[in-house]
Each structure stands twice: as C-alpha cells, then as structure tokens.
Amino acid sequence: MGRAEEETNRRMLRVRDAMDRDYAQPLDVPALARIAHVSPAHFARTFRTTFGETPHRYLQRRRVERAMFLLRETDRSVTDICYEVGFGSPATFSRTFHDIVGRPPRAYRKERREHLEHREHREAALAAMSVPTCFTKAWTRPSSSGQVFTPAAP
C-alpha cells in the first residue's frame, strides 16, 4: 500500500469516526467531504470503495443500530427514539429500520423483550437444577447461528 492510499484510508476513517460520533446530527455529503478535504463526488466514490457502502447508507445503519439499542433498553416511544437518533420523520425511520432489520421497530422491540423473558426463564430453570455456572453460561451463550444449546431434561 502506497503513501497516497494510506492517506486516503486515514481520511476516510476520520470521516467514519465523525459519523459514528455525530450520527444524530444532520450530516450531508458536502459536510463529510470537507472533513476528508476532498470534493463531494470524490468523497462519495472513495467512501463506497473503502467501506463497501455509501456514506448515506452507513449513516442510516449507524442510526438504526443505536435505535435498536434504545428499543431494547428503554421504554421510550418509537417516535422519541426516531428523532433522538437523527431521523427527520417517523415514517422514514420505520421504513429504513424495516429495510435494515427486516421488521418494524415496534415488532423488533416486542420480539427482543419476549426473547429476554424466555432467556431469563431458561436461566432460572438451569440455576434451579444446581448446574455449575460455567456450564450454564456455555449453554445459554448464543452461537453465531443464533441457536442456543438446550440440555436434555434429566
């Protein structure tokens, strides 16, 4: 990798860091290009080449990731979360969330809560069987496929 390519990568990382930090702020391609000290067209091409997605899509994904956390961990309304993470309208937020996650925000929140309740119940049942903690943790740790090992009943 040459010096020019290293400098380009450094600039793109600087912009991506700014997007991660300020995801809730209104960010557009010209403003991001100024951070990288390049033209907007060159920035958009280079960002996509470097990270495999457009700056707009990256920013949307970061906002949705933050919204997923807030939906799981808080009881705030979907509308409040929508505005907090930087979307301008609930309709755009719901459509983008569905495109990225595969289901609407309210359905995601409901599924995650049901999953957590099921997991807590399963952990309590394992604890009641007096199983060593190291086995309980191994059994309840999700795999990369999303499956959780369930031991056979004694």
Side-chain angles (χ1 to χ4, degrees):
M1 181 183 311
R3 277 177 75 74
E5 192 174 353
E6 283 181 18
E7 180 59 27
T8 297
N9 288 343
R10 223 177 267 115
R11 289 176 184 204
M12 292 301 113
L13 287 170
R14 193 175 309 129
V15 172
R16 193 177 70 176
D17 289 346
M19 293 170 79
D20 290 343
R21 184 180 54 250
D22 299 327
Y23 65 87
Q25 303 304 314
L27 298 171
D28 59 5
V29 169
L32 296 170
R34 283 191 296 277
I35 295 169
H37 303 289
V38 295
S39 73
H42 181 69
F43 167 72
R45 281 190 311 272
T46 305
F47 189 95
R48 183 179 181 121
T49 301
T50 305
F51 298 115
E53 61 188 340
T54 66
H56 179 70
R57 189 59 172 186
Y58 179 80
L59 185 58
Q60 285 182 322
R61 192 170 50 76
R62 291 294 293 137
R63 288 173 172 170
V64 166
E65 287 170 359
R66 179 64 181 157
M68 290 169 70
F69 171 80
L70 293 170
L71 288 165
R72 282 191 316 268
E73 303 297 326
T74 70
D75 289 326
R76 296 176 49 209
S77 74
V78 172
T79 303
D80 287 346
I81 291 171
C82 153
Y83 291 119
E84 180 176 328
V85 300
F87 282 93
S89 78
T92 301
F93 170 65
S94 290
R95 183 178 60 249
T96 303
F97 191 96
H98 188 277
D99 287 348
I100 292 172
V101 178
R103 55 196 157 289
R106 284 182 178 82
Y108 173 81
R109 173 179 267 170
K110 183 178 182 225
E111 287 174 13
R112 296 308 301 171
R113 290 197 173 157
E114 288 171 357
H115 174 75
L116 288 175
E117 289 171 7
H118 178 64
R119 183 176 178 183
E120 289 169 1
H121 176 69
R122 184 174 55 243
E123 288 173 357
L126 286 171
M129 295 188 324
S130 299
V131 175
T133 305
C134 60
F135 286 106
T136 303
K137 286 183 177 182
W139 291 338
T140 58
R141 183 179 305 127
S143 71
S144 60
S145 65
Q147 299 296 319
V148 176
F149 174 75
T150 306

